[in-house]
Every structure is written in C-alpha cells, then in structure tokens.
C-alpha cells in the first residue's frame, strides 16, 4: 500500500470513528435529558390562555 493510500485510509477510519462517537454522545444526551425531564416542550402563553377557563 502506498503512503497516500495509508493516509487516506487513516483519515477515513478517523472520520468514521468520530462520526459514530458524536452520534452516540448526542443520542445519549437526549436519553439522559428525557430521564431528567430537561428540554421538554412547553406550551406557549397563547395556548395556555385559550385553554384556561374562568368562572365569571
């Protein structure tokens, strides 16, 4: 194998490893966030106002 091919293969393996690790970190973070209740989507103020009923 030539030196150029060795470098290209090395960069390719490095890129795949980093992409895989990055994906794992993001998915793990989302999972932990869901367990802790972080990042939940809250209703906007408009939706809260229209869903609330008042007795008058």
């Amino acid at each position: 194998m030539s030196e150029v091919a060795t470098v290209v293969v090395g960069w390719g393996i490095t890129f795949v490893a980093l992409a895989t690790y990055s994906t794992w970190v993001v998915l793990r973070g989302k999972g932990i966030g869901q367990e802790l209740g972080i990042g939940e989507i809250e209703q906007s103020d408009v939706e809260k106002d229209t869903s609330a009923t008042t007795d008058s």
Side-chain angles (χ1 to χ4, degrees):
M1 190 183 293
S2 70
E3 294 172 359
V4 173
T6 303
V7 171
V8 169
V9 169
W11 277 105
I13 292 171
T14 302
F15 176 77
V16 169
L18 286 175
T20 303
Y21 180 69
S22 299
T23 303
W24 178 80
V25 167
V26 169
L27 293 176
R28 181 70 181 135
K30 286 183 179 182
I32 292 172
Q34 287 178 349
E35 289 178 14
L36 297 176
I38 299 172
E40 294 177 353
I41 300 174
E42 297 181 9
Q43 291 182 347
S44 66
D45 291 337
V46 174
E47 290 176 0
K48 288 179 183 176
D49 290 341
T50 58
S51 64
T53 58
T54 57
D55 295 332
S56 36

